[in-house]
Amino acid sequence: MKNAPELATIKTKFDLGYIVVLESGEEAQLRVLEQKGRELEYHIAGIEEKLYGEKISVYITYRDERYCSVSQFSPVERKEREEIENKKDKARKDCKIGNNYLMKIIKDYEWGYLCSEVDGFLSGAIKKPAPLLKVGQQVETVVIGKNQNGAPYLEVYIGSNA
């Protein structure tokens, strides 16, 4: 919509984010996926009330006669975010069973590890039992399957430095 930011006042919260009031008096929704910084932190922590009455900068992303939505991300930031999501989608589609990827361990859960491709856009999971891995560790993996969304299930590649 508009490339220039507008000032908005945080009025209240709702289950998906904040209701804000634009300088024109129009109410708009600032949903969680369009939040960043303090506003996102407070929403996740469930302490949104502390921000009521605060003025923030937003960009209008959609408007019709009944509904207005805004974002704290600029049009350039939203375009970059979309391009990254497109690259992640392409990486999932191009990923084939048997392919090898150098992955970095991002999270260690009881059931397994979440990992992201080093210098790439693919993310996946290594199910436990698996070799003991540490968050931040890089490991060579092989794709052994894919979930319904196309995200790969991985195993540590035999002969890797795990």
Side-chain angles (χ1 to χ4, degrees), residues 77 99 108 114 121 124 149:
E77 290 171 314
N99 286 4
D108 180 355
L114 287 183
F121 294 93
N149 297 322

Side-chain angles (χ1 to χ4, degrees), residues 19-146:
I19 300 295
V20 299
V21 180
L22 303 174
E23 288 187 309
S24 66
E26 179 181 15
E27 287 190 357
Q29 292 184 6
L30 174 59
R31 294 182 174 216
V32 70
L33 293 177
E34 298 301 328
Q35 298 171 18
K36 62 181 178 179
R38 188 174 63 150
E39 291 75 23
L40 178 59
E41 291 170 21
Y42 280 44
H43 182 74
I44 291 170
I47 54 173
E48 301 95 334
E49 300 86 8
K50 292 184 176 188
L51 295 178
Y52 291 178
E54 297 237 355
K55 294 200 180 297
I56 59 172
S57 184
V58 296
Y59 298 85
I60 296 173
T61 57
Y62 179 82
R63 176 187 271 147
D64 64 23
E65 56 280 340
R66 298 180 312 155
Y67 173 77
C68 182
S69 65
V70 295
S71 176
Q72 290 184 287
F73 293 94
S74 71
V76 170
E77 290 171 314
R78 290 192 311 275
K79 183 172 175 48
E80 289 170 354
R81 183 175 61 183
E82 183 180 340
E83 288 170 357
I84 289 170
E85 286 306 312
N86 290 340
K87 288 176 182 178
K88 288 179 179 181
D89 286 344
K90 182 175 177 1
R92 278 192 302 273
K93 288 176 185 162
D94 292 348
C95 170
K96 305 286 183 235
I97 294 173
N99 286 4
N100 288 24
Y101 294 92
L102 181 61
M103 304 295 275
K104 182 177 181 178
I105 304 302
I106 304 300
K107 287 274 194 180
D108 180 355
Y109 293 104
E110 190 174 304
W111 57 265
Y113 303 96
L114 287 183
C115 47
S116 290
E117 183 180 12
V118 174
D119 297 325
F121 294 93
L122 189 66
S123 59
I126 300 171
K127 187 176 175 187
K128 290 180 181 176
L132 180 61
L133 302 171
K134 293 184 170 116
V135 172
Q137 181 179 353
Q138 293 183 12
V139 61
E140 187 73 26
T141 63
V142 62
V143 178
I144 60 167
K146 293 174 89 172

